[in-house]
Amino acid sequence: MRKQIIGGEVVGHEPSAGGIASAKWLDLDAVASVEVSSEDPEFPIEEALGSHPESKLERGWRAAGPGPQTIRLRFDSPQHIQRIFIRFIDRKQERGQEFLLRYTASGRTGDIVRQQWSFSPGGSTEELEDYAVDLPGVAVLELQIDPDRGAGKAVAVLSEFHLA
């Protein structure tokens, strides 16, 4: 995976079963480079995007510090995206998160979805999103995560991010 940290310093698999095992997932290592706004070196983006069976669901990617974050996939050649699978897991912190998923194709940018979710250690600890889409010619796919909807105290996490 080719990677670039796009904002600040670095501080500090196969998709799981449950309805997604049958999809033909893109090998992001082979078809894209990734830019991240920050990254905790103990939790690199490859943990969330990779197709390494040894990757653990609880690992994934984590930002270097609190506040909004961006993960941007730049495809080597335009891709026809038909499915987007995203999983966030946070068992430790109560917080309200918002994410925006957008794409660029043929020079135009469009929003796919803006979603909010409330995490609670005693209840809701996992957000799983599985979108069927029809997006031909995608050059860039961007995930913007605001881990606590503007409060600037929580650190963004991403357990899995897969495309088909």
Side-chain angles (χ1 to χ4, degrees), residues 70-88:
T70 300
I71 299 168
R72 186 176 301 120
L73 296 171
R74 292 190 180 275
F75 297 103
D76 298 335
S77 60
Q79 299 292 316
H80 188 165
I81 307 296
Q82 297 177 309
R83 192 165 174 194
I84 302 170
F85 180 86
I86 305 170
R87 184 188 315 254
F88 301 93

Side-chain angles (χ1 to χ4, degrees), residues 128-150:
L128 187 145
E129 303 293 340
D130 192 353
Y131 301 106
V133 296
D134 186 17
L135 303 171
V138 175
V140 177
L141 190 69
E142 184 174 284
L143 177 62
Q144 297 174 359
I145 305 168
D146 187 346
D148 56 4
R149 294 200 299 253

Side-chain angles (χ1 to χ4, degrees), residues 29-48:
D29 287 341
V31 302
S33 59
V34 63
E35 300 170 350
V36 293
S37 51
S38 76
E39 177 175 275
D40 180 331
E42 297 295 317
F43 296 90
I45 191 64
E46 292 86 350
E47 291 285 328

Side-chain angles (χ1 to χ4, degrees), residues 40-121:
D40 180 331
E42 297 295 317
F43 296 90
I45 191 64
E46 292 86 350
E47 291 285 328
L49 301 179
S51 57
H52 307 292
E54 66 275 11
S55 291
K56 294 178 178 60
L57 198 57
E58 295 293 326
R59 297 252 332 138
W61 167 85
R62 184 177 299 158
Q69 303 293 322
T70 300
I71 299 168
R72 186 176 301 120
L73 296 171
R74 292 190 180 275
F75 297 103
D76 298 335
S77 60
Q79 299 292 316
H80 188 165
I81 307 296
Q82 297 177 309
R83 192 165 174 194
I84 302 170
F85 180 86
I86 305 170
R87 184 188 315 254
F88 301 93
I89 298 174
D90 190 340
R91 301 190 196 294
K92 298 177 184 173
Q93 188 173 16
E94 188 158 328
R95 62 188 177 87
Q97 171 176 285
E98 180 174 293
F99 76 83
L100 171 64
L101 191 57
R102 60 183 355 164
Y103 71 99
T104 300
S106 303
R108 297 179 325 154
T109 299
D111 291 352
I112 300 167
V113 65
R114 180 181 300 269
Q115 178 74 35
Q116 293 184 356
W117 185 266
S118 294
F119 290 94
S120 174

